[in-house]
Amino acid sequence: MARSFQGDGRPASEHAGVLVPANPGSIERAGELLRAGHLVAFPTETVYGLGANALDPRAVARIFEVKGRPAFDPLIVHVLDESMLAEVAAGVPELARRLIDRFWPGPLTLVIDKSAAVPTLVTAGLDTVAVRSPAHPVARALLAAARVPVAAPSANRFGGLSPTRAEHVASQLGERVDCILDAGPSEHGVESTIVLIAAERPALLRHGAIPSEAIEPFTGPLLDATRPGDARKGLAAPGMLASHYAPRTKLRVVDPATVSRAERERAGLLAFRRPADAAGYAAVRVLADDGDLRRAAATLFDALHELDALGLERIDAEPVPETGVGRAIADRLRRAANG
Ligand code: TXA
Ligand code: MG
């Protein structure tokens, strides 16, 4: 039986909503919290995750509760190494093996057949499990401390903006989380790319930090199952809803050149690059001065959190080029616009 965190003499309630800098001591304690069935928000290279022991159905149930996430939307299981992978997967197909060798640790999630050890709640009743091995050193140290696979969705309220800073987690989930490990802003800023292996032909379920161009040399052409309309049985991520990643402020994707002065007055502009056509907007955030898509992805949610906090009438998001990681940005903006 794991030593519980209460072993240090403090009641669990005292740990509620704590935002702590990630260091060896806090990571060790967070690992013990996970083992004792508590929730820990932690940094990954993509976005912050809300973690629970993936093998503990009661702990996993709390994730759904705290996020307000519907039970039909399965979670990604985070593993440290081969032995953790073997705990949650029913074998690793050859194609998955190739992708693992190339992209792990990193922002690639593979959907493969699950083992019996994974509770149905984690996979929303599916026979498959989504699994990834994060590259972020704090996420890895946490997995090592927890010594269990960690189920972790992005640490936001369901449907809301993804958290790329610990403060985003604190403001959305705050007291409902037992510990938030802070390691500064996320490197990629968009979630992992999801590839479905457990099918006749591999399919792309979510655009993410690794562009499909980088994956296809290993897989051949991927079936594109990223649009909400693609929700054919067994070939789509159940959580990829038309409305997602949405700020509270109404958002639309629009070329600012077509927006009149009057319309700009109470609106914010989320510009892709400089020079931005920003005159007359109440507020402006530029994703990447030089138009670098990776930089734009890393800034995306931070900029949206900031614009959303201003209480504007609307956010106008300038379209981004849909190549490389630009496809993940464009995907997030389209779903945000449906919020
Ligand atoms: O970058 C990431 O992947 C982040 C960090 C925290 O690792 N996590 C993340 O989790 O984005 P979440 O819960 O926000 O998104 C998980 C997505 C959902 O769209 C869900 O439907 C899909 O993965 N998914 C999970 N298990 C699946 C399965 N067995 N089959 C198909 N889709 C699955
Ligand atoms: Mg999410």
Side-chain angles (χ1 to χ4, degrees), residues 46 49 69 73-74 76 78 128 130 132 153-154 191-192 194 206 237-239:
T46 57
R69 183 180 180 111
D73 190 2
I76 294 175
H78 297 66
T128 53
R132 88 175 185 97
S154 50
E191 290 81 353
S192 60
I194 305 180
R206 178 171 74 183

Side-chain angles (χ1 to χ4, degrees), residues 47 67 69 73 153-160 162-163 191 206 244-245:
V47 301
K67 278 198 60 140
R69 183 180 180 111
D73 190 2
S154 50
N156 50 276
R157 295 279 300 168
F158 182 71
S162 301
E191 290 81 353
R206 178 171 74 183
H244 203 162
Y245 312 107

Side-chain angles (χ1 to χ4, degrees), residues 86-152:
E87 270 185 86
V88 299
V92 179
E94 158 65 23
L95 182 56
R97 175 58 55 200
R98 253 182 281 155
L99 292 173
I100 287 170
D101 289 346
R102 171 61 184 84
F103 293 105
W104 283 14
L108 177 67
T109 294
L110 299 174
V111 176
I112 54 183
D113 288 336
K114 81 183 222 20
S115 77
V118 182
T120 31
L121 188 56
V122 170
T123 63
L126 298 172
D127 296 332
T128 53
V129 63
V131 61
R132 88 175 185 97
S133 190
H136 196 293
V138 172
R140 299 192 68 73
L142 180 64
L143 285 166
R147 304 196 301 280
V148 289
V150 172

Side-chain angles (χ1 to χ4, degrees), residues 28-45:
E28 197 52 47
R29 282 194 300 278
E32 289 171 11
L33 278 173
L34 285 172
R35 290 180 68 79
H38 294 284
L39 299 189
V40 171
F42 62 97
T44 82
E45 69 278 23

Side-chain angles (χ1 to χ4, degrees), residues 105-322:
L108 177 67
T109 294
L110 299 174
V111 176
I112 54 183
D113 288 336
K114 81 183 222 20
S115 77
V118 182
T120 31
L121 188 56
V122 170
T123 63
L126 298 172
D127 296 332
T128 53
V129 63
V131 61
R132 88 175 185 97
S133 190
H136 196 293
V138 172
R140 299 192 68 73
L142 180 64
L143 285 166
R147 304 196 301 280
V148 289
V150 172
S154 50
N156 50 276
R157 295 279 300 168
F158 182 71
L161 291 174
S162 301
T164 54
R165 292 178 184 274
E167 294 80 7
H168 298 157
V169 182
S171 68
Q172 285 195 65
L173 303 179
E175 298 297 303
R176 282 176 287 216
V177 183
D178 299 298
C179 168
I180 303 171
L181 290 176
D182 184 357
S186 309
E187 178 194 343
H188 293 288
V190 290
E191 290 81 353
S192 60
T193 305
I194 305 180
V195 174
L196 172 69
I197 300 293
E200 275 157 45
R201 222 180 108 189
L204 182 69
L205 301 190
R206 178 171 74 183
H207 292 290
I210 299 181
S212 50
E213 294 96 315
I215 297 170
E216 287 182 328
F218 298 85
T219 56
L222 291 166
L223 275 174
D224 184 347
T226 60
R227 285 171 304 261
D230 289 322
R232 281 161 286 167
K233 196 168 180 294
L235 190 64
M240 292 302 282
L241 306 178
S243 164
H244 203 162
Y245 312 107
R248 282 157 309 187
T249 314
K250 203 172 147 40
L251 180 146
R252 64 178 182 179
V253 182
V254 65
D255 178 354
T258 67
V259 179
S260 73
R261 271 301 174 113
E263 278 184 290
R264 295 179 178 208
E265 230 164 68
R266 309 222 30 213
L269 175 67
L270 184 70
F272 168 51
R273 62 180 303 165
R274 281 191 209 285
D277 174 15
Y281 273 103
V284 183
R285 278 295 311 255
V286 179
L287 287 181
D289 286 354
D290 57 358
D292 178 72
L293 283 167
R294 290 172 58 94
R295 186 164 303 134
T299 325
L300 174 68
F301 283 113
D302 204 32
L304 281 170
H305 278 284
E306 279 188 25
L307 286 173
D308 198 22
L310 298 177
L312 300 164
E313 217 158 70
R314 198 183 63 249
I315 297 168
D316 285 348
E318 186 181 4
V320 303
E322 295 201 33

